[in-house]
């Protein structure tokens, strides 16, 4: 309805291959970024940043990483939490063991460490598929849970098993207040989302999708299954690892291994399914949904005057997530992102139905 | 005698360059980097600037010269709208040659006729398909020396010596140009405004096609007149998808584009026209009524599938548009409430609709070539598309009358265009004079003499009259206008058009000259009636079956009755109401010679072919058996036969007084 | 089907064009799955630039043969000479690197991707930019994308599928999907193209188009083609040489006319619908 | 040596319980190709139903017999599990026919989440007891051979016996009954099964009910040992490596895999654990299974997977 595409013709492949080829969408995206970078920091309350926006952004990033593996390359992972943990603990160690380690470098090193572990646990994917791979990634999950709990070296021998990070800064700017934290996270997420988008629309992204859609045919046209799968594990774990660093350093501040338990892994998988397998936007939609739903279940009955107990909310959230997973898998395996794009398509065709 | 002119200012046509090659070179200097042509190819709009176009035209021209193309030679150009074919036209003109445009869907024999008639030695064709035809008719066209093809696909194993790729020709031309850099400029300098710039064959409802020779001066006058009239600039975008051999395309895509310096856009292929239209979103648009009609039919059919809420919104705002849309477009006073509703409608319906149709950016759109249905015309104007009608022939560069902005009437073709003088003969025939008249029919002095009278007026063969505001109204072909037995006027086209405005009627042919009453052949519109039948749950196996169903006759009878009621209201026409009709068992087809290539009915041919049916109708028989030979797309022939029903329709007593719209 | 067009096309072919060196030589190939013999002691060769057909009743081992050629299956016995060298056990992606491309009997397109992307994957071997360049996109990766897009657009143009280029392949009718699959193989600019029943399930018009494409590919690019096809009319019309399999054994080999008159072949086909 | 045997027995007992849960996986996988991640949630759900019914039914009906209460609760819980099986087939599986394994896996993850929430909403989320009269005191065997004998839990012993019985019952069910044979036919070839006239959806309801039965038994045993609480559904995660090890399609594999994992876990915890900082039970089973996967992806008793082109 709002689209006016006449005259938006492409005279070069560069123009045709833009991320947002339609003028109106480019503007909408610019507007969204403007709101995120300028308007929200001006009007947002501390609660917004702390409880909604920062977790939303970081989980989006983690879901984005997972989506590359699951949605684009078709390799299941139930151990996302583990890779987040690897990122977080590795970065922590780089920070405490090396004097003057800049936050961004530590973050990237954390990501790289997650990459190494990710590729290691991805190796079974060359031989096994589907459910078997799920078990392999679960192994990663349980193993890291244990390692960060029991091996004192990782926690710098912290007596409580909990570690913390404070007084962070980037190029001398302290990342202390909720707004600066938010802006830092937002920047990181935007950069990574853009790079992820670039990857999935390039040769490597097509290789991943080819492996996902039909691995024999992919091999027959010369795609090396090993390279495609392991690169997906590498890129995915890198992004997930960075998300882990942000989650630990920025969102939690102080954490223990339980922060990256198997529940976190499932939660991220749900985000990807509900948000949309094989879609960058889907990661954000899924994360938004899963972050907001419990808050909504908490707030709305409250406003209606029928407050629910915390336990009831937890159970309700479980039920709704579970039902939604099944619902989306049956009705729309490509999740909210697909619904979004269907809506967009409807708007483009309005007033026609097809 | 009724003469109207629109203040002729003959000087104006000559303000710029006076031949097309000079216009081209002018743009190459004045706006070298501006887009002259775009072609959707390989997924994107490949763009050619004026400088590039000039360079390419140069290369083709020099290449042709190298092959021995001489001043005055004819160059056949056949194919879809491809930039290189347009360039070939321009290149030919640079050399002082005469491009002869041929319809790409013509069968080999038709092409052979043109090749012989125009004594053609050189042809530029689009692809293998056209090459095959050329090779096939080569024995019949002994003069043909060179056939140059644009698309080399599939041409590897053709060994005929007369074939050459356009790429090679251009390469040859570039070398020629390097060796003799002044050659082409010299040739261009030799050109004169009075030289023949193009030959377009009229399909001719009778007899063999005639080559209409138009001069540079004529088409430049027609082009610049229209440019002034509609204030066209070099920023316009136009989609070139109509046959290059049609005068309309030559005027809009070649003459006007070359004079105004705007951009023409060639679609990727026949199947992608709608999509390409949507992408380009032309600012200036030209199409025969059937294109607009097809679009509207599609709109309506697609809306049928929409949810009820959407349909309600759509119909509500279409009502609003009908009420006030045209007035808003014409700048007439409209109430604030309606203005608001229209604004809302524009947001919700008209805007999106235009976007999907590819018409968001249209400033001016024209239709011509046949009468357009009032509902159809009103629809496009009401949603804010400045659709206008024009009137003209191949012989007048499709340029006689234009509807001025703000003075649009549904049933007129507007006022005489700049530089044009229009006069009505005593028998109602429209006579025109002006710089855009043809120079001659090629090698047909007799025909030329017949069509231009002693005073230098071209006799259009159309009958019409001026209304009180000076707008020309066309009734019919002058020679087709006959008299009923009682002496009242019988204008078959006029009636047929009224019939064809119903969406279920695709073609109609009426008979009645010298008779007590009129009768009609009807072709139903397979898509529209088929849809209607499906909704009603009727089963049918194809056109012939559907056409003979009683319910369909019922449906068509309604249409005919409405036309009768309409005719009854017009004192001149009331005698020619249709008393009997039948639905033909096959669709009238150009391949069977029943229609012209521009889909005009060949009345006499049909009357002869289906004589027994006409006789049966006038004799009042209830059914009539008929067997007809048909030609299929692949060239084979077959037979179709059927027992056709003939049905009676109610006629109305003539009413004096107000006419229905 | 009406093959008059095809005859016309081959009639204009200069004689002797398809005489080339032996590019692929299969010697005494045997393939077993567990205890089941799929191929038994099969030998034949393929010459450069020819169209070589493999025919035979259902279950004759035709597809297995193609799978052996491009490394999906590994025969237990026999030798494969490719371009004069004995080929070691290789994986499918390595066969692709040697210029062997193929299509599948049951369409094996990447369902989640558009026509354009599917064909683009056919170019993957020729794309050299690394992960980091691709992540940054603007620069080397984009330049490469554009360069390969141009090639892919030529394939799209060649196969006349312009109007569906951005459609997800899953939404296309069967015949067009087959065409896209051919396009994906062509995008790799193979020297040896394996086609597994490219015309199965098509109507006459689609078959004619596909025939034309195959002949054009062979003709314009000189691609050697190994073809499995059920439609005998097509096979006899477009092949230079035909090899006939039955129950995993070779029962005939030679020019179409020879094969047509071969008694073993006739008896193998007796009682079948072909 | 006595300590070693004690550990070994302990491991075998725990392994038997893993086997019980793994059995549920195998049954469902064999019949429908679904890797049922919700088996753990089903165990919790069944245990919750059992314990709460055993508490509620005497209240509703006003009697005090523990045996009767348990019996009725068992019947009620089983009815609930059958209803659940029916609902899962109806609402979920029937709509996901012919989907890829990975999709089905994710769907059962959804079911697991739903059941966790649903069970606790329905039956409450405290820690409950199941008292079916399991002996709580330890027993000592082989006292003649070692000083002090080898201590084993009678409860474990009973559980092991029950588990073994269950396996026998299931084996009989599969071999001897018509339904059981039908189930095996489905496992071998979906289309063949349909063509001999067995409605697939009915088969699935049965097989999920049987898996529900296994879950109920496992739930009762684990529940009476550890108390019925949320962590019960996590125990099921232990069963995953068991089926990987034993082979996804093999009933004996589930049993033997369970025993291996159970014993391996205990022994490694005792003998390897101290070196690694303890608590390696959490991951030992998984790493074992992972190692195994790389060598023999089909598991000990599974069928070899051949990809056909």
């Amino acid at each position: 309805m709002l689209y006016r595409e006449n005259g938006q013709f492409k005279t070069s492949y560069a123009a045709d291959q833009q991320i947002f080829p339609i003028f109106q969408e480019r503007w909408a995206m610019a507007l969204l970024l403007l709101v995120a970078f300028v308007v929200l920091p001006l009007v947002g309350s501390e609660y917004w940043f702390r409880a909604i926006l920062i977790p939303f952004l970081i989980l989006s990033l983690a879901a984005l990483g997972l989506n590359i593996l699951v949605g684009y390359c078709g390799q299941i992972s139930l151990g996302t939490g583990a890779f987040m943990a690897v990122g977080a603990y590795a970065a922590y160690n780089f920070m405490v063991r090396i004097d003057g380690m800049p936050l961004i470098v530590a973050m990237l090193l954390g990501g790289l460490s997650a990459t190494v572990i990710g590729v290691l646990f991805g190796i079974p994917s060359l031989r096994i598929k589907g459910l078997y791979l799920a078990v392999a990634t679960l192994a990663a999950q349980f193993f890291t849970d244990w390692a960060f709990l029991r091996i004192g070296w990782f926690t710098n021998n912290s007596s409580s098993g909990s570690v913390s990070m404070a007084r962070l800064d980037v190029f001398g700017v302290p990342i202390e207040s909720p707004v600066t934290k938010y802006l830092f996270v937002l920047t990181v997420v935007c950069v990574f989302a853009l790079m992820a988008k670039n990857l999935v629309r390039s040769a490597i992204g097509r290789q991943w999708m080819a492996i996902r859609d039909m691995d024999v045919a992919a091999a027959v046209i010369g795609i090396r299954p090993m390279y495609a799968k392991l690169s997906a594990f590498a890129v995915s774990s890198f992004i997930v690892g960075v998300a882990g660093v942000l989650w630990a350093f920025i969102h939690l501040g102080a954490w223990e291994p339980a922060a990256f338990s198997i529940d976190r892994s499932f939660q991220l998988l749900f985000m990807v399914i509900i948000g949309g397998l094989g879609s960058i936007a889907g990661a954000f939609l899924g994360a938004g949904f899963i972050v907001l739903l419990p808050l909504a279940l908490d707030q709305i009955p409250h406003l209606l005057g029928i407050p629910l107990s915390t336990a009831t909310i937890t159970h309700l959230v479980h039920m709704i997530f579970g039902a939604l997973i099944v619902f989306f898998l049956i009705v729309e395996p490509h999740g909210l992102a697909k619904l979004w794009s269907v809506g967009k398509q409807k708007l483009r065709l309005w007033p026609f139905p097809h | 005698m009724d003469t109207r002119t629109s203040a002729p200012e003959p000087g104006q046509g000559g303000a710029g360059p006076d031949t097309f090659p000079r216009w081209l070179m002018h743009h190459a200097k004045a706006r070298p980097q501006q887009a002259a042509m775009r072609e959707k190819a390989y997924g994107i709009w490949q763009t050619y600037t004026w400088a590039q176009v000039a360079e390419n035209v140069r290369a083709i021209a020099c290449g042709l010269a190298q092959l021995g193309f001489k001043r005055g030679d004819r160059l056949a150009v056949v194919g879809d709208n491809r930039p290189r074919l347009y360039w070939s036209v321009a290149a030919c003109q640079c050399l002082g040659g005469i491009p002869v445009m041929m319809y790409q869907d013509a069968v080999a024999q038709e092409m052979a006729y043109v090749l012989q008639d125009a004594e053609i030695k050189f042809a530029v064709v689009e692809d293998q398909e056209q090459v095959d035809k050329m090779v096939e008719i080569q024995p019949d066209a002994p003069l043909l020396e060179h056939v140059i093809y644009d698309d080399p696909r599939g041409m590897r194993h053709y060994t005929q010596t007369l074939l050459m790729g356009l790429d090679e020709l251009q390469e040859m031309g570039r070398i020629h140009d390097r060796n003799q850099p002044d050659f082409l400029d010299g040739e261009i300098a030799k050109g004169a405004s009075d030289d023949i710039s193009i030959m377009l064959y009229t399909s001719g409802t009778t007899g063999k096609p005639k080559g209409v020779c138009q001069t540079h001066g004529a088409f430049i006058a027609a082009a610049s007149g229209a440019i002034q009239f509609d204030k066209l600039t070099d920023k316009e975008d136009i989609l070139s998808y109509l046959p290059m051999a049609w005068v309309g395309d030559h005027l809009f895509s070649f003459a006007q584009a070359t004079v105004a310096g705007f951009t023409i856009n060639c679609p990727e292929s026949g199947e992608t026209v709608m999509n390409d239209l949507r992408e380009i979103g032309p600012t200036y648009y030209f199409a025969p009524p059937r294109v607009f009609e097809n679009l509207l039919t599609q709109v309506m059919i697609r809306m049928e599938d929409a949810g009820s809420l959407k349909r309600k919104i759509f119909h509500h705002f279409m009502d609003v548009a009908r009420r006030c849309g045209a007035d808003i477009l014409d700048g007439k006073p409209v109430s604030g409430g309606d203005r608001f509703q229209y604004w809302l409608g524009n947001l919700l319906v008209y805007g999106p609709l235009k976007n999907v149709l590819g018409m968001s950016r249209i400033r001016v759109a024209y239709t011509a070539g046949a009468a357009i249905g009032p509902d159809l015309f009103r629809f496009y104007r009401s949603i804010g598309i400045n659709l206008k009608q024009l009137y003209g022939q191949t012989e007048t560069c499709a340029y006689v009358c234009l509807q001025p902005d703000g003075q649009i009437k549904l049933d007129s073709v507007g006022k005489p265009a700049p530089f044009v003088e229009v006069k009505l003969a005593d028998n109602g025939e429209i006579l025109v004079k002006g710089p855009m008249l043809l120079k001659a029919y090629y090698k047909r002095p007799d025909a030329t003499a017949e069509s231009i009278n002693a005073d230098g007026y071209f006799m259009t063969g159309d009958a019409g009259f001026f209304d009180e505001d000076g707008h020309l109204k066309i009734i019919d072909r002058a020679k087709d206008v006959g008299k009923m037995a009682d002496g009242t006027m019988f204008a078959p086209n006029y009636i047929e058009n009224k019939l064809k405005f119903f969406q279920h009627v695709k073609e109609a042919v009426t008979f009645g000259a010298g008779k007590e009453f009129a009768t009609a052949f009807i072709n139903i519109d397979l898509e529209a009636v088929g849809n209607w039948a499906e909704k009603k749950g009727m089963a049918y196996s194809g056109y012939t079956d559907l056409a003979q169903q009683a319910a369909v006759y019922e449906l068509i009878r309604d249409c005919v009755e409405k036309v009768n009621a309409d005719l009854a209201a017009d004192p001149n026409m009331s005698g020619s109401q249709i008393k009997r009709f039948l639905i033909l068992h096959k669709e009238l087809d150009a391949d069977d010679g029943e229609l012209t290539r521009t889909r005009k009915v060949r009345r006499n041919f049909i009357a002869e072919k289906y004589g027994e049916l006409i006789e049966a109708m006038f004799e009042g028989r209830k059914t009539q058996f008929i067997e007809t030979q048909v030609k299929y797309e692949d060239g084979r022939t077959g037979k179709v036969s059927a027992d056709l029903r003939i049905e009676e329709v109610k006629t109305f007593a003539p009413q004096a007084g107000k006419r229905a719209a | 089907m009406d093959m008059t067009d095809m005859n016309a096309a081959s009639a204009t072919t200069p004689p002797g064009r398809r005489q080339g060196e032996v590019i692929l030589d299969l010697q005494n190939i045997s393939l077993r799955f567990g205890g089941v013999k799929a191929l038994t002691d099969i030998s034949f060769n393929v010459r450069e630039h020819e169209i070589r057909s493999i025919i035979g009743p259902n279950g004759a081992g035709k597809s297995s043969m193609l799978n052996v050629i491009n490394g999906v299956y590994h025969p237990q016995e026999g030798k494969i000479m490719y371009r004069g060298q004995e080929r070691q056990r290789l994986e499918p992606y390595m066969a692709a690197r040697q210029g062997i491309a193929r299509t599948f009997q049951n369409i094996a397109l990447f369902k989640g991707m558009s026509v354009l992307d599917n064909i683009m994957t056919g170019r993957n071997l020729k794309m050299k930019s690394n992960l980091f360049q691709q992540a940054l996109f603007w620069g080397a990766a984009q330049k490469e994308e554009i360069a390969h897009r141009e090639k892919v657009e030529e394939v799209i143009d060649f196969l006349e599928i312009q109007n569906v280029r951005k459609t997800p392949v899953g939404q296309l009718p069967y015949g067009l999907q087959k065409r896209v699959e051919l396009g994906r193989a062509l995008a790799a600019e193979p020297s040896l193209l394996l086609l597994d029943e490219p015309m199965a399930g098509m109507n006459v018009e689609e078959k004619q188009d596909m025939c034309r494409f195959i002949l054009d590919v062979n003709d314009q690019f000189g691609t050697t083609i190994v073809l499995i096809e059920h439609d005998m009319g097509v096979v006899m019309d477009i092949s230079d040489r035909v090899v006939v399999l039955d129950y995993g054994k070779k029962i005939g080999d030679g020019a179409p006319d020879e094969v047509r008159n071969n008694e073993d072949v006739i008896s193998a086909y007796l009682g079948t619908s072909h | 040596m006595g300590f070693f045997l004690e550990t070994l027995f302990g491991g075998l007992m725990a392994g038997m319980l893993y086997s019980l849960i793994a059995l549920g996986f195998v049954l469902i996988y064999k019949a429908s190709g679904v890797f049922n991640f919700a088996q753990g949630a089903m165990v919790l759900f069944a245990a919750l139903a059992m314990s709460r019914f055993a508490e509620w039914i005497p209240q509703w009906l006003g009697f005090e017999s523990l045996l009767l209460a348990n019996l009725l609760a068992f019947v009620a819980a089983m009815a609930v599990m059958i209803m659940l099986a029916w609902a899962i087939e109806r609402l979920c599986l029937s709509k996901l026919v012919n989907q890829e394994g990975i999709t089905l896996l994710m769907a059962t993850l959804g079911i697991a989440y739903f059941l966790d929430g649903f069970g606790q909403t329905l039956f409450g989320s405290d820690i409950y007891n199941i008292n079916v009269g399991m002996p709580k005191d330890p027993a000592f065997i082989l006292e003649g051979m070692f000083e002090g004998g080898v201590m084993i839990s009678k409860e474990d012993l009973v559980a092991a016996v029950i588990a073994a019985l269950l396996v026998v019952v299931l084996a009989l069910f599969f071999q001897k009954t018509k339904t059981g044979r039908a189930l095996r036919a489905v496992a071998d070839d979906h289309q063949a099964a349909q063509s001999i006239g067995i409605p697939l959806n009915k088969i699935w309801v049965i097989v999920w009910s049987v898996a529900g039965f296994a879950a109920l038994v496992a739930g009762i045993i684990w529940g009476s040992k550890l108390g019925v609480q949320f962590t019960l559904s996590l125990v099921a995660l232990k069963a995953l490596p068991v089926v990987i090890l034993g082979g996804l399609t093999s009933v004996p594999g589930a049993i033997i895999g369970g025993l291996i994992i159970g014993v391996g876990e205990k022994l490694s915890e005792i003998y390897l654990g101290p070196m690694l900082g303890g608590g390696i039970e959490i991951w030992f089973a998984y790493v074992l299974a992972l190692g195994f996967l790389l060598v023999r992806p089909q598991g000990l008793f599974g069928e070899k997977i051949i990809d056909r082109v």
Side-chain angles (χ1 to χ4, degrees), chain C residues 17-88:
Chain C
R17 179 185 54 82
R18 285 171 179 163
Q19 303 285 323
E21 295 294 308
V22 170
I23 180 174
L24 177 73
D25 193 13
L26 299 148
Q27 300 171 5
N28 311 96
I29 301 291
S30 291
L31 175 73
R32 287 183 300 274
F33 295 111
V36 186
K37 280 191 166 182
L39 298 171
T40 314
D41 195 27
I42 290 181
S43 303
F44 69 92
N45 63 27
V46 179
R47 291 178 178 279
E48 202 152 14
H49 308 312
E50 77 173 338
I51 297 183
R52 183 75 149 123
S53 291
I54 305 177
I55 59 171
N58 279 329
K62 304 182 300 272
S63 291
S64 298
M65 201 67 238
L66 287 199
N67 283 328
V68 165
I69 297 177
N70 80 328
V72 177
Y73 295 159
H74 307 288
Q76 280 82 3
E77 285 155 38
K79 216 159 77 166
I80 302 173
M81 305 286 288
Y82 184 67
R83 293 192 181 285
Q85 291 194 330
E86 178 165 1
R87 203 171 75 176
Q88 304 305 317

Side-chain angles (χ1 to χ4, degrees), chain B residues 265-300:
Chain B
N265 299 279
C266 302
E268 186 160 28
S269 73
E271 297 112 74
T272 58
V273 169
M274 266 319 289
N275 202 31
D276 295 338
L277 181 67
R278 206 158 25 236
E279 286 183 14
I280 287 293
T283 59
Y284 183 43
Y285 185 65
F286 181 46
R290 76 187 145 82
V291 171
F292 287 105
E293 196 175 342
N294 288 344
L295 280 179
L296 178 60
T297 314
Q298 275 175 32
V299 167
M300 290 308 173

Side-chain angles (χ1 to χ4, degrees), chain A residues 5-9, chain B residues 38 235-237 265 279-284 354 358-364:
Chain A
E5 292 172 60
N6 294 170
Q8 297 191 36
F9 50 86
Chain B
R38 294 190 200 97
K235 299 288 187 296
E236 312 300 334
D237 267 304
N265 299 279
E279 286 183 14
I280 287 293
T283 59
Y284 183 43
K354 283 190 281 185
M359 296 185 172
S360 294
R361 300 205 302 157
I362 286 182
R363 289 203 306 115
V364 184

Side-chain angles (χ1 to χ4, degrees), chain B residues 173-185:
Chain B
R174 289 199 176 95
I175 295 167
H176 182 281
D177 198 23
R178 266 199 296 283
N179 295 338
Q180 305 177 49
D182 298 330
F183 165 77
L184 195 70
D185 296 328

Side-chain angles (χ1 to χ4, degrees), chain A residues 1 3-13 16 346 348-354, chain B residues 38 42 45 47 278-280 299 302-303 305-306 310 348 352-355 358-360:
Chain A
M1 190 183 331
Y3 284 92
R4 296 290 181 275
E5 292 172 60
N6 294 170
Q8 297 191 36
F9 50 86
K10 309 297 179 203
T11 56
S12 69
Y13 292 125
D16 193 52
K346 289 243 171 217
R348 285 178 75 178
L349 284 172
W350 177 278
F352 297 123
H354 52 74
Chain B
R38 294 190 200 97
Y42 298 116
W45 290 92
T47 307
R278 206 158 25 236
E279 286 183 14
I280 287 293
V299 167
R302 282 167 80 180
M303 277 316 294
D305 297 336
K310 232 190 222 179
L348 290 173
L353 195 63
K354 283 190 281 185
N355 177 51
M359 296 185 172
S360 294

Side-chain angles (χ1 to χ4, degrees), chain C:
Chain C
M1 70 181 279
D2 185 352
M3 277 288 134
T4 45
D5 280 359
M6 306 304 153
N7 289 330
S10 51
T12 56
T13 305
R17 179 185 54 82
R18 285 171 179 163
Q19 303 285 323
E21 295 294 308
V22 170
I23 180 174
L24 177 73
D25 193 13
L26 299 148
Q27 300 171 5
N28 311 96
I29 301 291
S30 291
L31 175 73
R32 287 183 300 274
F33 295 111
V36 186
K37 280 191 166 182
L39 298 171
T40 314
D41 195 27
I42 290 181
S43 303
F44 69 92
N45 63 27
V46 179
R47 291 178 178 279
E48 202 152 14
H49 308 312
E50 77 173 338
I51 297 183
R52 183 75 149 123
S53 291
I54 305 177
I55 59 171
N58 279 329
K62 304 182 300 272
S63 291
S64 298
M65 201 67 238
L66 287 199
N67 283 328
V68 165
I69 297 177
N70 80 328
V72 177
Y73 295 159
H74 307 288
Q76 280 82 3
E77 285 155 38
K79 216 159 77 166
I80 302 173
M81 305 286 288
Y82 184 67
R83 293 192 181 285
Q85 291 194 330
E86 178 165 1
R87 203 171 75 176
Q88 304 305 317
R89 181 190 168 97
L90 89 175
E91 295 301 319
Y93 76 86
M94 289 151 76
R97 267 153 216 254
Q98 296 181 354
I100 303 177
R102 77 171 283 188
T103 66
F104 294 82
Q105 183 179 354
N106 304 313
I107 297 168
L109 287 171
F110 307 128
K111 291 222 165 43
M113 296 156 75
S114 68
V115 169
L116 189 63
D117 281 342
N118 263 280
I119 302 180
M120 280 293 267
T121 57
R123 304 285 309 166
N124 82 90
L125 280 179
K126 303 196 156 42
M127 300 185 83
K128 302 289 177 234
S129 64
N130 63 35
L131 205 66
F132 297 100
Q133 288 169 326
Q134 290 180 29
L136 296 174
F137 194 72
W138 295 277
Q142 185 178 28
K143 238 172 102 184
E144 193 176 37
E145 281 283 309
I146 289 172
H148 289 278
R149 170 80 186 271
E150 282 169 10
K151 289 281 178 195
V152 165
E153 285 290 347
E154 283 171 22
V155 173
I156 289 176
D157 188 69
F158 180 85
L159 295 173
E160 296 160 16
I161 44 178
Q162 296 95 330
N163 54 343
V164 294
R165 79 164 56 77
K166 295 204 172 157
T167 315
V169 289
Q171 292 174 13
L172 296 182
Y174 180 80
L176 275 185
Q177 291 198 16
K178 284 243 157 194
R179 226 190 265 189
V180 174
E181 211 192 357
L182 176 62
R184 188 179 64 191
L186 287 181
E189 299 176 38
S191 50
L192 178 60
L193 178 61
L194 314 177
L195 303 175
D196 196 346
E197 300 203 16
M199 286 164 243
M202 286 187 166
N203 63 32
V204 174
E205 202 176 318
E206 288 169 331
K207 276 188 185 180
Q208 269 173 344
D209 281 343
M210 187 53 94
C211 263
R212 184 160 56 85
F213 293 134
I214 293 172
L215 283 170
D216 280 358
V217 168
N218 178 251
D219 183 40
Q220 289 195 17
F221 314 128
T223 312
T224 313
I225 295 175
V226 176
L227 173 80
I228 295 179
E229 184 48 53
H230 260 311
D231 189 319
M232 292 306 281
V234 172
V235 169
M236 295 303 171
D237 265 343
I238 69 175
S239 325
D240 295 287
R241 292 190 299 155
V242 179
V243 58
V244 192
L245 302 186
D246 192 20
Y247 292 110
K249 291 185 181 132
K250 185 169 102 171
I251 59 169
D253 191 352
D257 284 335
E258 294 169 39
V259 168
R260 213 195 311 258
N261 301 321
N262 180 319
E263 299 213 341
D264 288 341
V265 177
I266 293 168
S267 69
Y269 270 84
L270 271 182
T272 71
S273 57
H274 308 285

